[in-house]
Amino acid sequence: MRIQQLRYLEKIAATGSINEAAKQLFISQPSLSQAMKELEKEYQIQLLYRSKSGITLTDAGREFMNYARGVLDQVNLLDQHFGQEIVRKRVFSVSAQHYAFVVHAFVEFVKEVGGDAYQFTLRETQTENVLDDIQTLKSELGVIYINAFNKTVMMRLISDKNLTFTPLFEVQPHVFVGRDNPLTKKTHVTLADLEDYLYLSYEQGDTNSFYFSEEIQSTLPHRKQILISDRATIFNLMVGLNGYTISSGIISSELNDEKIVAIPLDVDDVITLGYLRHRKMDLSRAAQLYLKMLKAHIRGYGFEVK
């Protein structure tokens, strides 16, 4: 086993593609494939599962990658300590539903540990993609919510994908609206108050199940509705069309959310926000530090972290 083979495997796991990994590593695709075959032969295990949709790690591959990252981290420390010219970049990825507090903590994380060389990834994506990213090790951490409506389905999926869900904090649902929306005159709103307003929600792709919705009360009918794929657009439509969405209530003014107001929603429901991780993987030091910053940011908004 060579250190370079471990770096190759790490890149394949990150990109999900032999061809893309070879491009980023500046080697030929046959050379990379051969290196992986030799590694699999040496340890007599199948590390990679090849399909039409791309390359993913097998269960054995995920466990192997867990140990490999530990080895690569130690090599990186040696390179830094003894002044090698080529230093392995810090690598960390997080996937999440669309939450400003996740982005804010990520900004603080990059400022704190980025240094001169790093490759970090933040994926604001659909709910099913968050689960898949953690299962396939594209990301170490995922942030989603669970409530009474989706809990049974989501926890079964989390278990089936060999993941764990750890609660961070609980919030009462809030309605997000533009600062000039007439609803801002209310101290709280009811579902009846929202009937005449445009409902904005995040699309969930082909698996557009109610259980994957990022908004509670997703089964209710709406006369006016627009599906959106990104957080910037949903905020623009709140302001431009007097639309609303339902979320956690945390708004980050430091990330240009000053035009949005959160109003408590009068419903008998509680949102539990938490993080996902792979059951068989130990969290890297980077992931542990990000979690620490995420919790500190949540506490800064007055919430009690579990």
Side-chain angles (χ1 to χ4, degrees), residues 4-43:
Q4 196 64 39
Q5 288 175 304
L6 301 185
R7 290 185 171 132
Y8 289 171
L9 181 62
E10 183 182 47
K11 182 62 70 175
I12 293 171
T15 61
S17 165
I18 291 282
N19 290 334
E20 182 59 30
K23 289 179 183 178
Q24 294 187 20
L25 291 165
F26 300 102
I27 63 174
S28 68
Q29 185 269 335
S31 296
L32 181 56
S33 295
Q34 183 60 33
M36 291 300 97
K37 288 178 182 178
E38 291 175 358
L39 190 61
E40 289 178 321
K41 182 178 179 181
E42 179 178 352
Y43 287 95

Side-chain angles (χ1 to χ4, degrees), residues 22-286:
K23 289 179 183 178
Q24 294 187 20
L25 291 165
F26 300 102
I27 63 174
S28 68
Q29 185 269 335
S31 296
L32 181 56
S33 295
Q34 183 60 33
M36 291 300 97
K37 288 178 182 178
E38 291 175 358
L39 190 61
E40 289 178 321
K41 182 178 179 181
E42 179 178 352
Y43 287 95
Q44 298 183 346
I45 57 174
Q46 182 181 353
L47 297 171
L48 301 171
Y49 175 74
R50 299 159 177 85
S51 67
K52 293 181 180 179
S53 59
I55 303 292
T56 57
L57 293 172
T58 63
D59 288 343
R62 294 188 189 103
E63 186 175 5
F64 186 92
M65 195 66 246
N66 190 26
Y67 287 100
R69 285 199 175 103
V71 172
L72 291 172
D73 284 341
Q74 292 302 313
V75 171
N76 189 40
L77 289 174
L78 282 172
D79 289 343
Q80 289 178 341
H81 183 75
F82 291 102
Q84 295 293 324
E85 292 184 3
I86 299 176
V87 177
R88 178 171 170 258
K89 290 181 179 179
R90 294 175 180 268
V91 178
F92 172 67
S93 298
V94 59
S95 297
Q97 295 172 323
H98 299 77
Y99 298 118
F101 66 89
V102 172
V103 180
H104 190 118
F106 191 83
V107 170
E108 297 301 317
F109 169 81
V110 175
K111 289 179 179 179
E112 177 72 20
V113 305
D116 295 329
Y118 58 85
Q119 181 177 311
F120 298 146
T121 305
L122 172 60
R123 298 182 179 92
E124 279 195 335
T125 186
Q126 297 164 355
T127 303
E128 187 176 30
N129 290 343
V130 178
L131 274 67
D132 289 343
D133 284 353
I134 311 304
Q135 182 188 27
T136 59
L137 304 183
K138 285 186 177 180
S139 292
E140 277 194 77
L141 295 172
V143 181
I144 64 170
Y145 89 90
I146 286 177
N147 72 338
F149 174 73
N150 70 5
K151 184 175 182 178
T152 300
V153 172
M154 293 300 293
M155 293 306 292
R156 187 185 72 244
L157 285 171
I158 288 168
S159 177
D160 289 346
K161 292 178 181 290
N162 221 0
L163 312 179
T164 63
F165 175 81
T166 303
L168 285 168
F169 66 113
E170 293 183 347
V171 295
Q172 293 299 126
H174 283 65
V175 172
F176 283 7
V177 296
R179 189 167 293 279
D180 296 329
N181 190 301
L183 291 173
T184 58
K185 298 177 182 178
K186 296 179 174 290
T187 57
H188 67 277
V189 295
T190 65
L191 294 174
D193 293 328
L194 301 172
E195 289 180 355
D196 293 332
Y197 288 89
L198 168 65
Y199 175 60
L200 305 170
S201 63
Y202 290 108
E203 63 176 351
Q204 295 299 323
D206 295 334
T207 314
N208 203 18
S209 164
F210 290 126
Y211 297 108
F212 287 110
S213 174
E214 295 186 40
E215 303 82 22
I216 67 164
Q217 306 293 326
S218 57
T219 58
L220 294 177
H222 302 279
R223 289 190 294 109
K224 297 180 289 185
Q225 180 177 6
I226 296 178
L227 297 173
I228 298 100
S229 61
D230 66 277
R231 196 155 45 86
T233 300
I234 207 170
F235 284 175
N236 288 337
L237 295 184
M238 285 179 207
V239 175
L241 296 176
N242 266 350
Y244 77 92
T245 193
I246 302 174
S247 191
S248 65
I250 298 181
I251 297 178
S252 177
S253 59
E254 297 181 38
L255 293 179
N256 302 316
D257 296 349
E258 67 277 354
K259 295 181 180 180
I260 306 302
V261 175
I263 311 170
L265 178 61
D266 191 9
V267 291
D268 185 18
D269 203 347
V270 175
I271 300 173
T272 300
L273 288 126
Y275 66 90
L276 298 169
R277 56 176 291 184
H278 199 284
R279 189 183 302 276
K280 292 186 177 180
M281 303 294 288
D282 294 330
L283 291 181
S284 67
R285 282 181 293 230

